[in-house]
């Protein structure tokens, strides 16, 4: 097993090589400039690498980019092997990154919470306390307390 630092360095190298190769070396129109490599992870034995990517566009663009990445997997692996200089070049698996969808879900939930807070703030703007503003008794303020203490 390799140490974590070596796996991290290899993952960073794979991310850079794949991104550069997609930008300059692959002529597949399905990949174009709307594919972004977001992260790369390598297993501890340096045999398998998972490359996370996002695609700018709709579902059709995402599907065509996934097909383009699968067809270019061999070329990309060869480029990684040439750059890494390791005994074994890791196999590449491409996974669509769910980060944009998760971020959109979180933004939608935050918008809903802001709207709910604004509604509560609007309803409570003219509200008054049910009792006094400070409901707690303080020693020495209430005369009844002194009368009970004397008895």
């Amino acid at each position: 097993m390799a140490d974590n630092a070596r796996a991290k360095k290899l993952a960073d190298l794979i991310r850079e090589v794949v991104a550069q190769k997609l930008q300059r070396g692959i002529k597949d129109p399905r990949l174009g400039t709307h594919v972004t490599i977001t992260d790369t992870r390598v297993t501890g034995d340096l045999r398998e690498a998972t490359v996370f990517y996002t695609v700018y566009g709709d579902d059709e663009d995402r599907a065509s980019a996934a097909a383009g990445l699968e067809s270019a997997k061999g070329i990309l692996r060869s480029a990684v092997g040439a750059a890494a200089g390791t005994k074994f070049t890791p196999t590449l698996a491409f996974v669509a990154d769910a980060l944009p969808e998760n971020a959109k879900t979180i933004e939608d939930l935050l918008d809903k919470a802001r709207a709910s807070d604004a509604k509560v703030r609007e309803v409570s703007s003219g509200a008054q306390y049910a009792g006094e503003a400070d409901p707690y008794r303080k020693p020495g303020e209430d005369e009844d307390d002194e009368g009970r203490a004397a008895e």
Side-chain angles (χ1 to χ4, degrees):
M1 296 253 323
D3 59 348
N4 287 338
R6 187 168 178 200
K8 175 78 171 120
K9 284 176 79 173
L10 184 61
D12 291 341
L13 178 74
I14 291 171
R15 185 178 66 240
E16 290 175 17
V17 168
V18 169
Q20 287 177 356
K21 194 71 174 170
L22 285 175
Q23 186 178 13
R24 296 190 189 121
I26 307 253
K27 304 291 186 215
D28 193 345
R30 297 176 289 185
L31 298 175
T33 58
H34 56 275
V35 175
T36 304
I37 304 300
T38 55
D39 193 19
T40 306
R41 295 189 185 143
V42 178
T43 58
D45 60 357
L46 306 179
R47 296 283 181 162
E48 298 172 5
T50 305
V51 180
F52 295 92
Y53 67 94
T54 59
V55 179
Y56 182 73
D58 57 0
D59 290 334
E60 183 179 322
D61 291 334
R62 288 186 193 103
S64 67
L69 286 170
E70 284 300 315
S71 70
K73 189 184 286 190
I75 297 168
L76 294 172
R77 186 173 179 214
S78 297
V80 167
T86 57
K87 183 188 255 186
F88 181 81
T89 303
T91 58
L92 300 177
F94 292 97
V95 177
D97 199 355
L99 185 67
E101 290 82 17
N102 290 343
K104 183 172 177 4
T105 302
I106 290 171
E107 281 297 321
D108 291 344
L109 290 173
L110 288 174
D111 288 341
K112 189 185 290 186
R114 284 186 200 105
S116 175
D117 288 347
K119 187 175 180 181
V120 168
R121 196 175 306 116
E122 182 182 315
V123 169
S124 66
S125 64
Q128 296 179 357
Y129 293 106
E132 298 176 16
D134 187 10
Y136 301 104
R137 290 191 287 180
K138 296 179 182 69
E141 284 185 2
D142 198 8
E143 294 177 12
D144 291 337
D145 287 341
E146 291 175 12
R148 280 189 234 148
E151 291 178 9

